[in-house]
Amino acid sequence: MTDSYAVIGNPIRHTKSPLIHTTFARQTGQDIDYGSLEAPLGGFAAVVDRFRAGGGCGLNITAPFKLDAFAYATELKEAARRAGAVNAMKFEGDHVIADNFDGIGLVNDIQRNLEWPIKGRRVLLLGAGGAAHGALLPILEQQPAEVVIVNRTVRRAEEMRDQIATRGTLLATGFAELPHAHPGPFDLVINATSASQQDELPPIDTGVFAATTLAYEMVYGKGLTPFLRLAKSAGAPRLADGVGMLVEQAAEAFLWWRGVRPHTRPLIEHLTVPLA
Ligand code: ATR
C-alpha cells in the first residue's frame, strides 16, 4: 500500500515540499504519496487528527504551526526539544514522534554543499525568533570560535543566550551596540530574521562583512534580498540563500521516515533562483 505523507501550514500554496519529496521518492524507488494540507489558524490538531485517521504516516510542519506540532507530539526527539519547535512528525499507532531538521539542514548546506567549515570560525546570527532558535544549537555543535546573536529586541537575544548552558562562546547584543561590543568581520553571517519576507533590511553594520565572509540568507527563492545585496556591496565573496537548507532538511526527514538518504544536489540546482 502507498504510504501517505504531507506538509501542513497556512498559507501552503507556494510550498515546494511535495515536489521535493516526490522527487526523492522517484529517485529512491519509494512508494509514497505526498500532498499538502492547509489548516485554519487554531485548527492544527483537528486537521492532523483527520490525516492520521486516514492512515497518514508522517507530516512536515511549516509556519505557523511549528509550536502547535510541539504541543501535539507525544515524543520529542532531542533537536525538537532543544529548538522548542517541530518540523517533522512520524505516526506510529497512538505515538506521535516529533523532530526538527531545520538546524541540521542549515549546517549540512553550509558545510557540505557550500564547503564552509564552521569549526573555529566567528559566526553572527541575525534574529532571535523561531528560525534562529532552530539554527543555534546545531551551529554550536560544530564548535565555532564564537557565536554572536544580534536582534532588534535585545531581550530576546539575551534570553536565547541564557537558555544555553555552554555560554563561553555565545554572546548576545542589539544592532546598535554590535560594532562596539563585538566588532566584525565575521566568517559566517546568517540572516535568520524574517525581514526579507517583507523586503526589509535588518539594521546591520557593513563592518560585519569582509573578503572572507559567507553571507547566508535563510529565506529562499527571492534572488538577491536586501541582506544579500548589502553583503555583496560590502565585499562578501560568497552569498547563499536557504534553498539548500530547505532541500537538506527535507532529505533528513525522508531518511527518518523511509530509511534511505536521497541525493540533494540535483534538486538544489533545479530550485535555485540565481542570486543576481
Ligand atoms: P521566524 O519563525 O521566521 O523566526 P519570528 O519568530 O516571528 O519568525 O521571528 C522573527 C525575527 O525576525 C525576530 O528576530 C524579529 O526581531 P524582533 O524579535 O525584534 O521582533 C526579526 N525581524 C523581523 N523583521 C525585522 C526587521 N525589519 N529588522 C530586523 N529584525 C527583524
Side-chain angles (χ1 to χ4, degrees):
M1 201 182 90
T2 304
D3 289 338
S4 178
Y5 298 85
V7 58
I8 182 167
N10 185 337
I12 201 66
R13 61 187 175 282
H14 296 303
T15 181
K16 301 267 187 266
S17 292
L19 168 69
I20 294 172
H21 283 279
T22 49
T23 304
F24 285 165
R26 212 177 312 125
Q27 185 201 100
T28 57
Q30 293 287 309
D31 184 18
I32 71 163
D33 172 71
Y34 192 106
S36 62
L37 298 170
E38 186 166 85
L41 300 182
F44 175 83
V47 173
V48 179
D49 284 346
R50 225 174 301 134
F51 181 71
R52 289 171 66 198
C57 299
L59 285 173
N60 282 124
I61 297 92
T62 189
F65 296 124
K66 291 183 185 184
L67 297 180
D68 297 77
F70 187 87
Y72 188 89
T74 61
E75 184 186 327
L76 290 164
K77 294 288 193 184
E78 174 91 0
R81 194 170 46 72
R82 300 220 272 174
V86 160
N87 95 323
M89 298 196 297
K90 192 195 265 188
F91 307 124
E92 289 177 359
D94 288 344
H95 294 276
V96 178
I97 310 160
D99 211 330
N100 190 322
F101 300 113
D102 285 334
I104 187 70
L106 172 72
V107 165
N108 284 349
D109 189 38
I110 291 172
Q111 299 203 128
R112 288 190 199 159
N113 300 336
L114 302 169
E115 298 177 359
W116 205 267
I118 295 171
K119 187 171 178 157
R121 304 292 183 94
R122 289 190 83 204
V123 180
L124 181 65
L125 183 62
L126 277 53
H133 270 86
L136 181 59
L137 278 157
I139 288 172
L140 284 173
E141 278 163 10
Q142 308 309 310
Q143 303 178 312
E146 177 180 283
V147 175
V148 179
I149 309 166
V150 59
N151 197 47
R152 190 171 56 180
T153 311
V154 183
R155 181 184 41 79
R156 292 183 81 192
E158 290 170 347
E159 281 168 9
M160 229 172 119
R161 174 199 62 197
D162 293 343
Q163 281 164 9
I164 311 287
T166 50
R167 259 199 267 154
T169 56
L170 184 57
L171 305 154
T173 192
F175 285 101
E177 298 77 20
L178 178 68
H180 317 289
H182 310 290
F186 290 84
D187 303 300
L188 171 61
V189 181
I190 301 170
N191 185 14
T193 73
S194 54
S196 305
Q197 311 269 19
Q198 289 86 42
D199 221 23
E200 290 172 2
L201 179 66
I204 189 80
D205 184 80
T206 51
V208 304
F209 303 108
T212 51
T213 307
L214 166 63
Y216 195 103
E217 169 73 79
M218 275 203 198
V219 166
Y220 63 89
K222 284 181 172 278
L224 269 191
T225 61
F227 165 77
L228 290 176
R229 219 173 296 129
L230 182 77
K232 190 178 180 186
S233 70
R238 289 293 297 276
L239 309 175
D241 75 1
V243 66
M245 174 181 175
L246 172 77
V247 176
E248 292 298 337
Q249 65 76 28
E252 294 295 321
F254 193 89
L255 172 64
W256 185 48
W257 288 329
R258 309 302 303 177
V260 261
R261 178 179 287 282
H263 295 297
T264 52
R265 206 167 283 259
L267 250 183
I268 293 172
E269 279 166 16
H270 175 69
L271 291 173
T272 291
V273 171
L275 299 178

